[in-house]
Amino acid sequence: MRLLERMRKEWFMIGIVLAIAGAKLEPSIGVNGGPLKPEITVSYIAVATIFFNSGLSLNTEELTSALVHIKLHLFIQIFTLAFFPAAIWLFLQLLSITPINEWLLKGLQTVGCMPPPVSSAVILTKAVGGNEGIVVTPLLLLLFLGSSSSVPFTSIFSQLFMTVVVPLIIGQIVRRYIKDWLERKKPPFGAVSSSVLLMIIYTTFCDTFSNPNIDLDKFSLILILFIICSIQLSFMLLTFIFSTRNNSGFTPADTVAVMFCSTHKSLTLGIPMLKIVFAGHEYLSLISVPLLIYHPVQILLGSVLVPTIKSWMVSRQKGVKLTRPTV
């Protein structure tokens, strides 16, 4: 099962490249007003499909049982939705004097505002045998992104409610009636969401490549890639140091959850969110680029680090057992 999930993610990363390449070759198909009518099919139908699918696949029973780790959840939420965006904002004040494309820097700020994904963070946590803990809070994400948008807050909120919250709730309601069938058949929820997400990415870049005024220099792109890798490694090290202190109160398994869940960002929620918050924005695709880079980087780094982290966790757990007094 884990192998199939890894293969799906690898194909999805290839799909991102193909979607952008397709938009470059023939942007007229996916532009606003084009044959695909993305102003309707993407902005409403595609986004609603992703979150209806999420509602169907979200096992609330497991989520509720995981909420007993209150301290773990609190740390992850504060780090992800307070410390992370604040640290990125401070870092961007320094980067603003560099020649890096300003819209890529704005995109880097939106990455900092994203919540962690349930999928990759939890899968990597399970891969080393850790505890999983995550509560997605899209309203807090909206607070961070709303001030940067030219779209009125009321319009953003109403569209978020209709295309995110309502489909999610409907999906959960439907799940209650067909739960046994879903558990027996195990529909390919991940593949469905990934396919719809690729369509959103394709239409976003169609708008970019159809606009002759937008130019993305390779120097900025390479620097953003380097910055993203540095941020992920630095924040994983920071969360590791903090959660392994003697008075932290976290177990080795909790440390694994903290490292992955606090530093990973959701592409599935992020791209539809950006599409809503920055609707009609000329530089939406450039703003999306850092998140599109962050996603595969977090998967690759996570995969590379899993054996090392698993070895560390096993040795720590053995150490705890050996030092535990016998009665």
Side-chain angles (χ1 to χ4, degrees), residues 52 160-171:
F52 174 74
L160 280 174
F161 183 77
M162 293 304 298
T163 60
V164 176
V165 179
V166 171
L168 193 65
I169 293 174
I170 293 174

Side-chain angles (χ1 to χ4, degrees), residues 228-302:
I228 286 173
C229 291
S230 301
I231 288 173
Q232 288 198 39
L233 287 172
S234 299
F235 281 5
M236 289 185 80
L237 178 61
L238 182 63
T239 53
F240 177 81
I241 293 171
F242 184 88
S243 59
T244 53
R245 295 183 308 163
N246 291 331
N247 60 346
S248 69
F250 291 128
T251 66
D254 291 336
T255 296
V256 173
V258 166
M259 287 179 65
F260 286 129
C261 294
S262 297
T263 58
H264 281 206
K265 296 294 182 177
S266 174
L267 183 68
T268 305
L269 178 63
I271 292 298
M273 277 285 198
L274 293 179
K275 196 77 175 177
I276 293 171
V277 174
F278 295 96
H281 200 292
E282 184 181 13
Y283 293 96
L284 171 60
S285 59
L286 295 189
I287 295 172
S288 306
V289 165
L291 183 58
L292 292 173
I293 294 174
Y294 198 98
H295 178 75
V297 169
Q298 71 187 9
I299 294 172
L300 291 172
L301 283 179

Side-chain angles (χ1 to χ4, degrees), residues 129-145:
N131 293 332
E132 57 190 66
I134 190 63
V135 178
V136 180
T137 50
L139 286 178
L140 288 177
L141 176 64
L142 181 60
L143 288 175
F144 283 114
L145 292 179

